[in-house]
Amino acid sequence: MKIISIKDFDNIRIGNAQNTSAGTGCTVIISENGMCAGLDVRGGGPASRESELLKPLAAADRIHAVLLGGGSAFGLDAAGGVMQFLEEKGIGLDVGIAKVPLVCQSDIFDLTVADPYTRPDKAMGYEACVGAWQNNYQDGCFGVGTGATIGKLNGMEHCMKSGIGSYAVQIGELKIGAIVAVNALGDIYDHHNGQIIAGMLSDDRKSFADSAQFLYRSYDIHENKFVENTTIGAIITNAAFTKSQLCKIAGMTHNGYARSIRPVHTSADGDSIYALSVGNIPADCDMVGTLAADVMAEAILCAIRNTESAYGFPAYKDLSFV
């Protein structure tokens, strides 16, 4: 097994666009020839578009783009820019009188980071596509990761900065990669040793408060939790799978979330994972799903390690006690 770049896949382009001053952005994954896709949503509060396309009973067997964005439900307008760009390129489902690009989207909540009234829109979605053609994807505080934060169970004053990360491997001809925007309610753990590396800070900001232990202090019902979260990502493989198999792989990949984020999949998160097939390599579904969870856990670490402090929130690399 060797480590490769998330850019080392045929039939895929990935691009970022962001408004750094406003603290928001989006990241697009485009397949010009179309890609078979599945989706598994585990969080209780997703913001999404065209998710029904990815159910096994839906007629569409291929989509053309997945957009990961900020702005919560407001940011879902950005998919219109992706559709415009792809239509101009002649990419989409041929319906006779036009080619209709099939674009799915999931968004994180980043409205409390900087400017709550500036969100990804049609122009930013288009800009992300331009970025994809320029091969501008990078990990860190870019694209959808621009406004990502973590460890918010006790409010924004205790949270840390996060971002977007990627990781990919190759075994023989088989390639599996992950891309993820880490915007979790909970803390981030190094899955290799079980240690917290980022998350909710103590009052003096000199240690981690441990979100799970904070949660265990009381079992009183909280009707209005801090619903400003969601970790969203995608698994990309050049293996050939059906939509139902990809939904299973997406579900197995959530094990990578569970190893790296705690608490995870709460009612205050919208945790979602896409699984995208962009090749024709024969591969076992269970093998790929198992490896995909490992790759996703590594991508989460990459997101944390490549993030810079911003908007008054410290990043992993600037903590003196880690």
Side-chain angles (χ1 to χ4, degrees), residues 217-239:
R217 291 180 184 178
S218 170
Y219 55 81
D220 292 339
I221 298 173
H222 298 278
E223 298 294 346
N224 187 24
K225 283 194 179 77
F226 198 70
V227 188
E228 302 182 358
N229 315 288
T230 294
T231 296
I232 53 177
I235 281 291
I236 303 169
T237 180
N238 65 347

Side-chain angles (χ1 to χ4, degrees), residues 5-307:
S5 169
I6 195 66
K7 299 179 181 182
D8 290 342
F9 287 80
D10 295 332
N11 194 30
I12 280 288
R13 297 177 186 263
I14 307 174
N16 287 331
Q18 56 276 322
N19 184 324
T20 303
S21 61
T24 194
C26 58
T27 300
V28 69
I29 305 168
I30 297 171
S31 175
E32 297 178 61
N33 299 321
M35 53 190 169
C36 194
L39 172 66
D40 191 292
V41 179
R42 298 287 174 94
S48 57
R49 178 187 187 275
E50 293 280 39
S51 299
E52 290 291 322
L53 283 177
L54 305 185
K55 291 185 176 179
L57 293 180
D61 61 355
R62 304 179 81 78
I63 63 171
H64 304 95
V66 169
L67 185 64
L68 307 176
S72 190
F74 290 112
L76 295 174
D77 288 343
V82 178
M83 291 191 69
Q84 178 184 342
F85 182 92
L86 296 182
E87 183 181 28
E88 291 174 2
K89 291 284 188 181
I91 298 169
L93 175 66
D94 193 344
V95 295
I97 60 171
K99 287 188 177 180
V100 181
L102 301 182
V103 180
C104 297
Q105 181 175 355
S106 292
D107 285 354
I108 66 171
F109 191 110
D110 56 10
L111 302 179
T112 53
V113 170
D115 177 6
Y117 301 107
T118 298
R119 307 112 180 189
D121 55 11
K122 186 174 181 179
M124 188 180 285
Y126 191 99
E127 182 185 350
C129 294
V130 173
W133 253 252
Q134 296 172 345
N135 200 31
N136 80 341
Y137 174 79
Q138 56 184 316
D139 294 339
C141 296
F142 304 99
V144 63
T146 303
T149 51
I150 49 175
K152 292 166 280 188
L153 191 59
N154 197 26
M156 295 295 287
E157 63 272 19
H158 293 276
C159 79
M160 286 181 59
K161 189 69 183 72
S162 182
I164 190 170
S166 64
Y167 190 82
V169 298
Q170 181 172 354
I171 302 174
E173 294 184 288
L174 176 67
K175 297 179 180 180
I176 301 173
I179 185 167
V180 60
V182 184
N183 191 62
L185 177 75
D187 301 327
I188 308 304
Y189 288 72
D190 184 333
H191 65 281
H192 297 288
N193 57 28
Q195 299 298 309
I196 299 177
I197 61 168
M200 186 170 70
L201 298 172
S202 60
D203 290 339
D204 62 8
R205 301 168 75 89
K206 294 181 179 180
S207 63
F208 294 120
D210 193 323
S211 294
Q213 293 303 316
F214 181 87
L215 191 64
Y216 298 157
R217 291 180 184 178
S218 170
Y219 55 81
D220 292 339
I221 298 173
H222 298 278
E223 298 294 346
N224 187 24
K225 283 194 179 77
F226 198 70
V227 188
E228 302 182 358
N229 315 288
T230 294
T231 296
I232 53 177
I235 281 291
I236 303 169
T237 180
N238 65 347
F241 291 115
T242 65
K243 193 189 304 186
S244 61
Q245 288 175 314
L246 289 166
C247 287
K248 179 60 177 176
I249 289 170
M252 294 178 72
T253 306
H254 272 284
N255 292 328
Y257 280 13
R259 293 169 195 162
S260 305
I261 305 169
R262 186 181 181 205
V264 70
H265 302 146
T266 72
S267 61
D269 289 290
D271 301 331
S272 305
I273 295 177
Y274 295 87
L276 310 174
S277 173
V278 297
N280 56 10
I281 303 299
D284 182 78
C285 179
D286 293 326
M287 178 272 183
V288 171
T290 301
L291 182 54
D294 294 338
V295 171
M296 180 59 75
E298 292 291 343
I300 290 171
L301 287 181
C302 288
I304 300 304
R305 290 170 176 165
N306 285 287
T307 294

